[in-house]
Amino acid sequence: MNAKTNDRGKGVFSRTVLSTAVASALMIAAGPSAAQDEDVLALTRPLNEIELGIGYVSEDSFKFGDYSGLNEKGAYLIGNFSLVGRPAPLSGSARYWSLVGTNLGLRSRNLRYQYSNQGNYRFSFEYDELPKFRTESAQTIYNGVGTNNLTLPAGWTPAGNVTTQAAQIAAAERPYEVKHERKNYIFGFSKVLSSQWDLDVKFRRETKEGVKVVGAVIGNSGGNPRAVLIPEPTDYQTDIAEAVFNYTTQKMQFQFGYNLSLFNNDNNGLSWQSPYVGVGGWAAGSGYPYGGQLGLPPDNQFHQLTASGGYNLSNSTRLTGTLELGRLTQN
């Protein structure tokens, strides 16, 4: 497969992906006779598919691998499958399970599992990865990329502006990658409690790790500030939970729920050394070898109670309402 894309007018690039795969479709043997309608057979005898193989990327490219994980030259595993288990027809059982995996050899992999007893309960789990590649050729003069404390190279000579430091900057620059990787762990559970009541519970944990670029300003007014672009570490964890009770009859429907969101940042702040000498008007300790500090997104949590519902007053009139109460705090 050849892929080409236009990078916003900056030229056309292409990367070649060669792949070979073996796919097998396995039919679950079950009880219906061959005389049954083909549509009925498709529902009662689900198809299982497995695809395994080797792919090859011809050249390194962050842009080509953005979101897909095909950013590095070399071979990779092709791994996809879809497996379903159902009871034999006329067995009287309503249980079934499914397991689906996609892109298992890449950093954009996804795996989903579900087990259910139809009309009674359902359990599900999902794991998902998604890479975001911005550039592999960013440059910085700082040591400590990926940490919250950035220092200048030993023997740095400060100056008042970038122009007079051009040669020193060029000699000190080193490359780093601007990228993020998200991972999601998702759990779900639902249960029919009675003919009117059911429960639905969901939980998701998302982690985000990587490095991005942020502008750091040094100075205190429009006349004297200086700035540097610095690598900012990202190490987030977000937990989201939801529990909902549903009540349903022919005339009325009500829903009572609780939502929770917890955000944690392993880096509370970012500090860096100033590459500039002190400028008139700056506070003492702002110029080299000192620097500045930047607050990063703070830990926070959110709680919310919800109640909503509707009542059919007649065939043409319905009364609905919603009540929500939430509380958000942050450190």
Side-chain angles (χ1 to χ4, degrees):
M1 175 179 69
N2 290 322
K4 295 186 178 180
T5 185
N6 193 308
D7 187 16
R8 297 189 180 182
K10 297 182 179 179
V12 175
F13 69 88
S14 75
R15 296 293 178 267
T16 303
V17 179
L18 302 178
S19 63
T20 176
V22 178
S24 62
L26 308 176
M27 298 295 293
I28 294 181
S33 67
Q36 287 185 286
D37 185 88
E38 291 184 1
D39 292 336
V40 175
L41 288 174
L43 293 173
T44 57
R45 299 172 64 183
L47 182 68
N48 293 313
E49 296 180 329
I50 300 176
E51 182 183 16
L52 294 174
I54 300 295
Y56 182 82
V57 178
S58 63
E59 191 174 339
D60 290 348
S61 172
F62 256 41
K63 195 63 178 178
F64 186 74
D66 197 16
Y67 294 116
S68 70
L70 293 167
N71 60 299
E72 296 181 353
K73 177 181 178 180
Y76 67 94
L77 171 69
I78 297 173
N80 304 290
F81 63 83
S82 177
L83 307 175
V84 180
R86 289 185 180 273
L90 306 179
S91 68
S93 174
R95 293 182 174 86
Y96 75 91
W97 61 267
S98 66
L99 180 63
V100 180
T102 56
N103 295 335
L104 298 182
L106 298 173
R107 293 163 66 182
S108 56
R109 60 182 59 92
N110 179 274
L111 182 67
R112 302 188 304 277
Y113 174 76
Q114 180 174 287
Y115 182 85
S116 176
N117 187 341
Q118 289 179 307
N120 189 355
Y121 62 84
R122 182 179 70 251
F123 168 80
S124 63
F125 167 76
E126 181 175 359
Y127 173 76
D128 181 76
E129 290 186 26
L130 185 66
K132 174 59 182 175
F133 299 118
R134 295 192 180 276
T135 179
E136 73 275 40
S137 56
Q139 300 281 332
T140 185
I141 59 175
Y142 284 100
N143 299 317
V145 174
T147 72
N148 58 1
N149 184 29
L150 302 175
T151 60
L152 292 166
W156 181 263
T157 303
N161 56 65
V162 173
T163 302
T164 58
Q165 293 178 310
Q168 184 178 205
I169 292 173
E173 282 184 328
R174 58 184 63 87
Y176 69 98
E177 297 177 345
V178 181
K179 62 182 181 180
H180 289 103
E181 185 173 33
R182 295 178 184 267
K183 296 181 180 180
N184 280 287
Y185 307 83
I186 305 169
F187 300 87
F189 177 76
S190 62
K191 170 69 176 174
V192 177
L193 303 175
S194 69
S195 59
Q196 290 84 34
W197 287 95
D198 65 82
L199 170 67
D200 191 12
V201 179
K202 297 178 182 178
F203 173 79
R204 177 168 66 92
R205 167 166 290 182
E206 179 185 275
T207 62
K208 181 179 178 181
E209 297 181 348
V211 175
K212 61 182 180 179
V213 180
V214 64
V217 178
I218 307 166
N220 58 15
S221 75
N224 63 17
R226 302 291 187 271
V228 287
L229 293 177
I230 57 177
E232 176 188 330
T234 301
D235 193 354
Y236 302 158
Q237 178 178 296
T238 305
D239 293 328
I240 298 176
E242 179 184 77
V244 178
F245 283 97
N246 298 290
Y247 177 81
T248 305
T249 66
Q250 187 173 0
K251 273 190 165 291
M252 59 183 176
Q253 302 81 40
F254 292 98
Q255 185 180 84
F256 305 94
Y258 169 71
N259 295 280
L260 169 68
S261 176
L262 304 175
F263 173 77
N264 179 71
N265 185 357
D266 280 352
N267 298 297
N268 295 323
L270 177 62
S271 62
W272 68 93
Q273 281 188 292
S274 171
Y276 307 106
V277 295
V279 177
W282 283 12
S286 297
Y288 180 87
Y290 307 103
Q293 294 181 339
L294 178 68
L296 300 180
D299 295 351
N300 60 74
Q301 55 181 281
F302 176 69
H303 304 264
Q304 184 183 50
L305 295 173
T306 62
S308 61
Y311 185 82
N312 300 329
L313 299 175
S314 68
N315 291 335
S316 59
T317 306
R318 178 175 171 81
L319 178 66
T320 63
T322 300
L323 177 65
E324 297 180 346
L325 176 64
R327 184 171 186 263
L328 171 66
T329 59
Q330 72 178 31
N331 182 3

